[in-house]
Structure formats: structure tokens, C-alpha cells
Amino acid sequence: MGREMSNAVSNQKPQSEMSYTVEQLVSVNPYNPDILPDLENYVNEQVSSQTYSSNANLCLLRLYQFEPERMSTQIVARILIKALMAMPAPDFSLCLFLIPERVQMEEQFKTLIVLSHYLETARFRQFWDEAAKSRHILEVVPGFEQAIQAYAIHILSITYQKIPRSVLAEAINIEGLVLDKFIEHHITNSGWAIEKNQNKGQIIILPHNEFNNPELKKSAADGIPLEHITRILPILG
């Protein structure tokens, strides 16, 4: 079965077929060390095709625990970078639990851990400064910058109803005409609006949601249909 997957990788079969086959291998026999090369190849496939499978990557890290001499730090670094790109999902922490401390002490992994901390605490200026110094680690994974920008927008959107242009620029590391086009795109596609303030400059109005607008947050009781309550009451009685 492992050889079949290796052939599939070398023949560069469509992503949908490969994804199904790898996930099947993981679900059927996740602790089989024979699938380790296939999972490593699949990490590289995720990088080149800009896809992601947390299940397959976590499975590979678990296999490395049983076969530490076969661990590829290059592959582990790519897994962690892809996990950063998946935030706000907790994948980075889940991966880190499976990586030996001695490996985490290597310089590239210490850098990725620092970057994850900046993202988790929404310290975007520090993140982009550190990322600029670590470009040699991050640039091997296409789409990294765009994924982090999407995460930054997510954090801003669930936290604020309005933000100054300068705050947006710092969070996504974009300025000038490129930022203008970015804002125009989101005005067209994401419901953003512009409020011009003579004192504060350009203000971005973000769509209301249940996180940035308490009035939209429904209580748990509001979310339970009446017919469900009528079914529960006789049981409680």
C-alpha cells in the first residue's frame, strides 16, 4: 500500500485523488511506519499545491515519535508553517505537542514558536518584523503572507466595528496603493465601508457580527427551537 502511494506521488495524480488516498491510509492504519515516506511526500504536495491536511500531518508527527531516527526537520518545519497558516485553528499547538523538545530548541523552530506567539496575541507589527528577518524559513511555503493577512483580518473583524486605516496597514503589512486596492476589494466583496474623519483620517467600517456587536449575540436559550423544548419537558417531568 505504501508503494502504491509513492507511485501516485511520482505520477503527480490530481490532488483530489491523492487527498482521498492519503486520508484513507491515515484512517485505516495510522501507526504503520511503512506509510511514513508517503506522508512526507504528501507534506511537499500540500506545499506545492497550497492545500492542507492537518490529520495527515499530525499522523506523520506521531510516526516520528516512534521512529525518531527517520525524522526530517525540513518536513517538520513545513508542517509547522502550514499550521501557522491555518490559524485560528489550534493546529500549531497540536503539532508542537508531538515534536521533541530537543528539536524545538533548533533555531528555525524557536523562530516559528515566537511567530505563533505574536499571532496568538495579535501583535502583528512584531510578527511582520520577525517574519521579515526569517524570510529564508518561510518563503519555501507559497501563500504564507496571504494566509496570515486573512487571519489578521479575521481577528480585526471579530474585535472591532471600526478601525483606522493605520491599524489595518500594520496588521496586514500593506501600505500605499496596494492597501487602497486591498480596501477596495473588501468594500466590493466583504461589506466594508469607508468613513472619512478629518481628525483621524480614513476609518474602515467592518460588518457587524455576533462577536464585534453584542446585540447580535444570541443566548443559548434563543438558539433552541420551541419544539425541542416541548420534547424535553415531558422527559424532565
Side-chain angles (χ1 to χ4, degrees):
M1 181 175 284
R3 289 193 295 273
E4 290 175 0
M5 269 305 306
S6 297
N7 291 336
V9 172
S10 61
N11 292 334
Q12 297 185 8
K13 292 187 177 182
Q15 176 64 25
S16 59
E17 180 179 346
M18 176 174 293
S19 179
Y20 172 79
T21 308
V22 170
E23 298 296 344
Q24 187 179 47
L25 279 174
V26 170
S27 62
V28 170
N29 201 354
Y31 296 102
N32 179 7
D34 292 339
I35 69 173
L36 194 149
D38 300 319
L39 293 174
E40 290 179 328
N41 287 335
Y42 189 47
V43 172
N44 291 327
E45 175 67 19
Q46 292 173 59
V47 170
S48 61
S49 62
Q50 297 192 43
T51 55
Y52 183 59
S53 173
S54 60
N55 287 337
N57 294 346
L58 289 170
C59 179
L60 176 55
L61 292 177
R62 282 193 293 269
L63 287 176
Y64 279 153
Q65 287 188 313
F66 296 109
E67 306 268 345
E69 71 283 355
R70 300 175 65 180
M71 176 181 289
S72 166
T73 54
Q74 180 188 68
I75 293 293
V76 173
R78 293 185 175 190
I79 289 175
L80 287 178
I81 295 172
K82 294 291 284 186
L84 280 180
M85 295 167 63
M87 292 184 74
D91 297 5
F92 188 89
S93 296
L94 295 177
C95 291
L96 214 56
F97 288 139
L98 299 173
I99 299 173
E101 186 175 351
R102 60 175 177 77
V103 177
Q104 295 184 31
M105 293 306 295
E106 293 185 19
E107 199 60 37
Q108 62 176 336
F109 297 116
K110 288 196 291 186
T111 296
L112 292 174
I113 292 170
V114 168
L115 289 174
S116 73
H117 177 67
Y118 286 150
L119 289 178
E120 289 171 354
T121 54
R123 295 160 66 183
F124 294 114
R125 183 177 63 185
Q126 291 92 328
F127 170 84
W128 291 114
D129 288 345
E130 184 67 30
K133 294 185 292 186
S134 309
R135 194 171 298 276
H136 62 289
I137 299 174
L138 305 172
E139 65 184 1
V140 298
V141 180
F144 178 80
E145 185 172 321
Q146 293 81 359
I148 301 305
Q149 288 169 345
Y151 169 70
I153 294 300
H154 167 75
I155 294 299
L156 294 176
S157 297
I158 64 175
T159 307
Y160 303 106
Q161 296 181 6
K162 298 179 180 181
I163 53 172
R165 177 189 172 98
S166 59
V167 172
L168 175 65
E170 180 179 287
I172 62 177
N173 199 38
I174 295 179
E175 296 179 342
L177 292 176
V178 178
L179 180 58
D180 290 337
K181 292 181 179 179
F182 186 92
I183 294 173
E184 289 173 6
H185 171 80
H186 281 279
I187 289 174
T188 303
N189 298 282
S190 305
W192 290 13
I194 298 295
E195 176 185 290
K196 292 186 178 179
N197 187 309
Q198 292 182 348
N199 298 323
K200 298 182 179 179
Q202 195 178 62
I203 302 294
I204 315 297
I205 303 175
L206 302 173
H208 289 184
N209 56 66
E210 63 176 335
F211 301 102
N212 68 9
N213 188 342
E215 294 180 1
L216 297 179
K217 187 181 287 293
K218 295 182 179 180
S219 66
D222 292 338
I224 302 176
L226 179 61
E227 60 270 21
H228 288 187
I229 296 177
T230 57
R231 291 175 187 172
I232 294 173
L233 289 177
I235 297 175
L236 295 178

